[in-house]
Amino acid sequence: MSSVIKARITVTLKNGVLDPQGKAIEHALSGMGFNGVGQVRQGKVFDVELAESNKAKAEADLKAMCDKLLANTVIENYAVEIA
Amino acid sequence: MSSVIKARITVTLKNGVLDPQGKAIEHALSGMGFNGVGQVRQGKVFDVELAESNKAKAEADLKAMCDKLLANTVIENYAVEIA
């Protein structure tokens, strides 16, 4: 039975990059009566299963997936956490 | 100077809920030559700043924000982490 590695990839906007969705959420929350709402920034998470036993190989593959598909590295950062 | 609480809200699809975006990503990754890609599930993260000094109050507010706006609790789970 091959082992499965479970990982979470979190992709967030780099500092200084405008986040119109985050702004819209800030306004919506204030409009709903939530006081003291400061900055809201929205990002993405990907929970990925990999048929891989070597953690280092899995991490390298996951980073390559971010670089090639899951993140726009011009404006986004990504973090890979292996469970 | 009022204190600011920083929190991360993670919203993910409940088990059993179909994730067409996740499926599309699975296929794209395989097509790009990544072998052994199993299930991929996509979710959202919100990094929220709150002008609040009471952590319990902040957590209650953040959960209410999820229930009212940030998550569709019929199909999504949410987790609140206060930094």
Side-chain angles (χ1 to χ4, degrees), chain B residues 13-14 16-20 23 41:
Chain B
L13 287 170
K14 290 182 177 177
V17 175
L18 275 181
D19 181 3
K23 280 284 166 238
R41 306 274 284 174

Side-chain angles (χ1 to χ4, degrees), chain B residues 3-53:
Chain B
S3 60
V4 173
I5 284 182
K6 295 193 176 202
R8 170 161 286 180
I9 293 170
T10 306
V11 178
T12 50
L13 287 170
K14 290 182 177 177
N15 287 335
V17 175
L18 275 181
D19 181 3
Q21 271 181 300
K23 280 284 166 238
I25 292 167
E26 285 171 32
H27 296 310
L29 290 173
S30 304
M32 294 169 94
F34 291 105
N35 302 319
V37 175
Q39 182 178 265
V40 174
R41 306 274 284 174
Q42 181 170 346
K44 295 171 283 191
V45 288
F46 301 94
D47 290 328
V48 182
E49 289 178 354
L50 270 183
E52 177 59 65
S53 49

Side-chain angles (χ1 to χ4, degrees), chain A residues 8 10-12 24-25 28-29 32 34-52 60-62 64-65 68-70, chain B residues 8 10-12 24-25 28-29 32 34-52 60-62 64-65 68-70:
Chain A
R8 170 162 287 181
T10 304
V11 177
T12 51
I25 291 167
L29 289 173
M32 295 166 96
F34 291 106
N35 301 319
V37 176
Q39 181 177 265
V40 175
R41 305 275 284 172
Q42 181 170 347
K44 296 171 283 192
V45 286
F46 301 95
D47 290 328
V48 182
E49 288 178 356
L50 270 183
E52 177 58 65
D61 281 352
L62 290 160
M65 291 176 197
K68 289 181 181 171
L69 180 69
L70 302 177
Chain B
R8 170 161 286 180
T10 306
V11 178
T12 50
I25 292 167
L29 290 173
M32 294 169 94
F34 291 105
N35 302 319
V37 175
Q39 182 178 265
V40 174
R41 306 274 284 174
Q42 181 170 346
K44 295 171 283 191
V45 288
F46 301 94
D47 290 328
V48 182
E49 289 178 354
L50 270 183
E52 177 59 65
D61 282 352
L62 290 160
M65 292 176 196
K68 291 182 180 171
L69 182 70
L70 301 178

